[in-house]
């Protein structure tokens, strides 16, 4: 019997297809896998990423791994030095502050565009509302895997991107989020997932009711709340 999450992912796949970007070839698949492992905290800031053992782990030559690491370097998740090789990136406080503020504005615009959209297919709007409820259910489930939450949220944002019909803004928002993958694990508490899911529920309802101001305000608030949490983490270090 499929879970509600699995049923939701299956039923909404055609609606999200326009927004989803599949990894290109083996390097893209390796980059995606490494990004998720950074998000999960398996690789932490400063950890080395050696091509040889990664190639063995992925069952391929070093070439695709090196290309995957170069892709992650472009996303600012990895730094590659001539002598020491690749390592998970570290962000300083000033860079984090600027990054979060930029992401807050781009993310706010992203959800506002969806709420402003005149052409609003009922099935797509219904899927966005359902996605927010599925996300809340996963966040409340103590037995759920972190990957389940990531998949549910990714599908919800893909559906919102389809409605917004602004691929450049959607891609920029996703790019800024990917660059923060190094922070996902230390900030990924159950309480925070529940708060985040509550924010996405408010955004989904604002989009469904055609309220761009409410969607924009909540989108910005969620990111700035994350910035406050990062500041607290930095103060404790």
């Amino acid at each position: 019997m499929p879970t509600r999450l699995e049923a939701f992912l299956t039923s909404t796949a055609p609606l999200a297809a326009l927004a989803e970007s599949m990894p290109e070839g083996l390097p893209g698949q390796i980059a995606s896998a490494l990004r998720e492992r950074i998000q999960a905290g398996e690789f932490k800031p400063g950890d080395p990423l050696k091509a040889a053992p990664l190639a063995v782990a992925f069952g391929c030559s070093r070439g695709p791994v090196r290309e995957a690491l170069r892709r992650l370097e472009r996303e600012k998740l990895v730094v590659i030095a001539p002598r020491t090789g690749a390592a998970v990136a570290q962000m300083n406080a000033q860079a984090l502050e600027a990054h979060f503020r930029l992401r807050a504005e781009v993310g706010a615009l992203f959800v506002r565009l969806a709420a402003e959209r005149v052409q609003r297919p009922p099935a797509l709007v219904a899927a966005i509302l359902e996605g927010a409820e599925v996300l809340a259910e996963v966040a409340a489930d103590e037995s759920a895997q972190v990957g389940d939450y990531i998949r549910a949220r990714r599908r919800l944002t893909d559906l919102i991107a389809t409605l917004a019909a602004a691929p450049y803004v959607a891609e920029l928002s996703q790019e800024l989020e990917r660059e923060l993958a190094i922070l996902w694990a230390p900030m990924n508490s159950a309480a925070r997932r529940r708060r985040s899911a509550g924010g996405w529920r408010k955004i989904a309802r604002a989009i469904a009711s055609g309220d761009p101001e409410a969607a924009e305000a909540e989108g910005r608030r969620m990111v700035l709340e994350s910035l406050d949490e990062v500041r607290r983490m930095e103060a404790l270090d």
Side-chain angles (χ1 to χ4, degrees):
M1 186 76 176
T3 63
R4 185 181 181 185
L5 172 59
E6 295 298 339
F8 169 70
L9 293 175
T10 300
S11 65
T12 58
L15 293 171
L18 292 175
E20 290 179 335
S21 55
M22 300 300 292
E24 298 178 5
L26 183 56
Q29 294 171 27
I30 294 172
S32 180
L34 291 175
R35 188 186 304 112
E36 290 181 3
R37 292 175 70 178
I38 292 171
Q39 282 184 316
E42 293 181 43
F43 293 127
K44 297 177 175 57
D47 282 356
L49 296 170
K50 301 296 184 182
L54 287 174
V56 172
F58 286 108
C60 65
S61 65
R62 297 184 191 184
V65 172
R66 290 183 179 127
E67 174 57 28
L69 292 173
R70 285 192 289 268
R71 293 188 185 199
L72 294 177
E73 183 183 35
R74 291 194 290 272
E75 294 180 13
K76 300 181 178 63
L77 284 182
V78 165
V79 291
I80 301 177
R83 294 183 180 179
T84 57
V88 180
Q90 303 180 71
M91 297 182 74
N92 61 44
Q94 186 176 8
L96 281 171
E97 181 88 17
H99 188 104
F100 268 98
R101 290 191 175 279
L102 176 59
R103 185 177 164 225
E105 297 309 312
V106 174
L109 174 61
F110 168 58
V111 295
R112 181 186 181 95
L113 291 172
E116 287 180 338
R117 185 78 189 276
V118 175
Q119 296 180 341
R120 307 166 62 77
L124 182 53
V125 174
I128 290 171
L129 289 169
E130 172 72 4
E133 296 306 315
V134 170
L135 184 67
E137 183 177 287
V138 172
D141 184 358
E142 295 183 0
S143 65
Q145 301 294 314
V146 173
D148 293 336
Y149 185 85
I150 293 173
R151 288 193 298 155
R153 197 185 67 164
R154 183 179 299 153
R155 177 55 55 83
L156 175 58
T157 55
D158 283 343
L159 292 168
I160 293 173
T162 300
L163 181 60
Y168 177 75
V169 177
E171 177 57 32
L172 182 56
S173 179
Q174 291 172 6
E175 181 179 328
L176 289 168
E177 183 171 330
R178 285 195 296 265
E179 290 177 13
L180 291 175
I182 55 176
L183 292 176
W184 220 93
M187 295 176 63
N188 185 33
S189 67
R192 186 177 183 280
R193 288 198 298 273
R194 289 193 294 269
R195 290 197 305 272
S196 179
W200 282 109
R201 178 185 274 156
K202 291 179 181 178
I203 289 172
R205 290 175 177 175
I207 290 172
S209 63
D211 188 343
E213 285 76 20
E216 177 182 0
E218 184 61 21
R220 182 181 291 110
R221 186 202 65 77
M222 286 174 61
V223 178
L224 294 180
E225 181 183 71
S226 297
L227 175 57
D228 288 339
E229 188 166 345
V230 170
R231 286 172 177 153
R232 288 193 293 270
M233 288 167 52
E234 291 290 324
L236 293 174
D237 288 344

